[in-house]
Amino acid sequence: MSAQIATRIFVMCKTEKMPGSYVEKIPLMANAACRKVWNRDFNGALPDEDRLTTFGGWMNPRCFLLIDNGPVDISSYTLVKLRWDGQKLKSLRPNISSTPLIGQRKLDLPTKS
């Protein structure tokens, strides 16, 4: 098992409050979340290798983004929960380490092999 700690950023937002045109909303929100947590834009290339999963999207009233960074084969990670209030990203509660839970429900996501 790797000694690295993975980080997962979970962002909740409403489409009508997100900045940008419809096709810009997801990339802009991913960049804003990465800037808040890591002081850099979203980057799917080396060395950062961020991974983005979206639920909802620009055509739905509610949108959720999940940004992962770090080893994919690790069971412990830090979860950062954010909410877009129409002006900026706000932390929902203190960051949680080493948990597969979001709120009280387990989040079952497909894993990459």
Side-chain angles (χ1 to χ4, degrees):
M1 184 178 292
S2 174
Q4 283 186 300
I5 298 292
T7 302
R8 175 169 277 179
I9 305 171
F10 182 71
V11 181
M12 295 184 287
C13 39
K14 292 186 178 179
T15 305
E16 68 271 6
K17 292 185 177 184
M18 293 167 67
S21 69
Y22 287 122
V23 296
E24 296 172 323
K25 290 179 183 287
I26 298 297
L28 286 171
M29 198 57 52
N31 284 334
C34 288
R35 279 188 218 119
K36 183 166 181 72
V37 176
W38 298 309
N39 292 321
R40 63 166 175 78
D41 283 341
F42 176 85
N43 184 1
L46 291 171
D48 301 321
E49 292 191 275
D50 300 330
R51 296 171 302 279
L52 174 66
T53 306
T54 59
F55 306 92
W58 55 268
M59 292 293 289
N60 296 316
R62 288 188 168 179
C63 182
F64 304 94
L65 283 75
L66 188 63
I67 302 166
D68 285 305
N69 184 281
V72 294
D73 60 346
I74 196 163
S75 61
S76 100
Y77 56 89
T78 298
L79 175 63
V80 179
K81 292 172 65 175
L82 305 171
R83 181 179 56 82
W84 180 256
D85 70 357
Q87 300 293 318
K88 63 183 178 179
L89 285 167
K90 293 186 174 184
S91 295
L92 290 179
R93 53 172 86 162
N95 297 339
I96 303 167
S97 294
S98 303
T99 180
L101 300 176
I102 292 182
Q104 296 299 314
R105 295 187 298 184
K106 184 176 179 182
L107 181 63
D108 293 317
L109 295 176
T111 57
K112 294 183 180 182
S113 40

